[in-house]
Amino acid sequence: MGISRRDFIKISGLTAAGIAAGGLNASTPALAETRGISGVAEKALLNDPSKCIGCLSCAIACKKSNGLPNVYKYSSFTDGSTWTTVKLKNSSLQGQPAKYNLKVQCMHCSKPSCAAVCPTGAIYRRDDGIVVIDQETCVGCKYCVQACPFNVPGVSSQTGTSRKCTLCENRLREGKITACAEACPLGAIQFGDREVLLTKAEARVNELKSSGYTNAAVFGKHELGGLKVLYILPDTPETVGLPANPRLATSDSLLKWAAGLAMAGYLAAFPLRKLFQDEGDKTENAMRKG
């Protein structure tokens, strides 16, 4: 199980000493108990931006389903209070101006960078493939925010912890589909068996290539070991704001975080979560603007 915040503060000084003595292990084990929903491991979401009209029904449904604040307030990026959004982009296709609406949420990576750098083991990938954040173990350090190649997680001002899309695990337990897929009026978001969705996506990509979109591709099939959130892209990922080659965060990120624990005396006099939040604000804001 994940360690508590209080225990984490207690061992922070020992961790710093361990770094000085020989450094941290290159990998971070998931400390929280693994569990899952039967039959969900093969499930996925498929987004087809060519069908998206930017109505934001998915974002509103997500907030309502998860009890998030500011239900009808639009945000162009995800954070601790907005788990799903649509980026309304002016782009170009085949050299011509075009509007492109890209739905964004946690990708639920098979190799999640957020879990790789989480110092308390609060973030882990379950046996059904859903990447979750244990709210009892998260200390709000924002390392997941910095490590995610898709800039998805954010620290909630209400809870002080990192939060993100859970793939509607509560709905899946009841045999329902995700709130975003259910709310989409035009079928731009589909939820179902991953292999079936991949077959549909590849067929659509072939159609696009036949129409002259030579860069069309399925995004998420192999990236970071395979994503539970797939996209049909008519052009390169960079064109729509996705990373062309998302990479797993390395142990260097965790070592940089752990080196800061050498300030053990300061940590003892100042709440750990508050320290991380204040120091991470500038970094997070810069990433969001970028």
Side-chain angles (χ1 to χ4, degrees):
M1 296 294 291
I3 62 176
S4 68
R5 301 184 188 99
R6 179 177 298 177
D7 290 339
F8 180 66
I9 294 173
K10 288 181 180 178
I11 68 172
S12 60
L14 295 176
T15 304
I19 296 167
L24 290 177
N25 190 295
S27 62
T28 306
L31 302 179
E33 180 182 357
T34 301
R35 57 191 177 88
I37 305 171
S38 177
V40 174
E42 299 80 18
K43 302 298 182 180
L45 281 171
L46 174 62
N47 295 304
D48 186 349
S50 68
K51 296 181 180 180
C52 179
I53 58 174
C55 68
L56 301 176
S57 294
C58 56
I60 293 171
C62 174
K63 287 197 169 189
K64 286 183 176 180
S65 179
N66 292 288
L68 300 175
N70 302 317
V71 172
Y72 298 104
K73 181 179 179 180
Y74 173 69
S75 173
S76 61
F77 55 84
T78 58
D79 57 24
S81 299
T82 299
W83 298 357
T84 294
T85 191
V86 178
K87 293 187 176 181
L88 312 174
K89 301 178 66 67
N90 289 316
S91 186
S92 63
L93 293 175
Q94 295 183 312
Q96 299 297 319
K99 289 188 178 296
Y100 201 86
N101 302 323
L102 184 75
K103 180 180 182 290
V104 181
Q105 73 283 311
C106 174
M107 305 293 191
H108 297 280
C109 313
S110 292
K111 297 178 180 178
S113 287
C114 55
V117 302
C118 181
T120 65
I123 306 178
Y124 61 102
R125 182 177 182 270
R126 305 190 323 187
D127 56 7
D128 58 16
I130 298 177
V131 179
V132 298
I133 303 177
D134 183 349
Q135 295 297 292
E136 293 301 315
T137 310
C138 176
V139 294
C141 67
K142 296 187 179 180
Y143 255 68
C144 57
V145 177
Q146 299 178 41
C148 177
F150 305 105
N151 296 327
V152 168
V155 173
S156 168
S157 59
Q158 291 183 318
T159 66
T161 56
S162 288
R163 305 185 75 189
K164 65 171 189 62
C165 159
T166 63
L167 204 68
C168 286
E169 60 169 331
N170 56 328
R171 293 175 58 90
L172 299 187
R173 289 186 182 280
E174 298 173 358
K176 301 177 182 178
I177 65 174
T178 62
C180 59
E182 183 178 77
C184 183
L186 296 179
I189 309 166
Q190 297 182 56
F191 179 83
D193 291 337
R194 190 172 187 271
E195 290 304 315
V196 173
L197 294 179
L198 279 172
T199 299
K200 290 182 178 180
E202 289 167 351
R204 175 59 177 155
V205 164
N206 289 334
E207 291 177 1
L208 290 171
K209 287 184 175 180
S210 298
S211 300
Y213 296 93
T214 56
N215 293 324
V218 179
F219 185 88
K221 183 176 182 180
H222 301 297
E223 284 79 5
L224 291 173
L227 311 179
K228 272 189 170 293
V229 179
L230 309 168
Y231 291 86
I232 300 170
L233 301 184
D235 208 336
T236 59
E238 302 97 321
T239 303
V240 298
L242 289 171
N245 184 29
R247 297 181 180 181
L248 178 67
T250 66
S251 59
D252 290 344
S253 299
L254 186 56
L255 288 170
K256 290 177 182 178
W257 167 84
L261 294 182
M263 300 174 64
Y266 183 58
L267 289 174
F270 200 71
L272 180 62
R273 177 178 290 173
K274 177 65 175 175
L275 170 64
F276 278 132
Q277 288 175 358
D278 290 347
E279 293 297 323
D281 281 342
K282 291 184 179 180
T283 301
E284 182 179 5
N285 290 336
M287 291 177 63
R288 299 302 185 186
K289 292 179 180 178

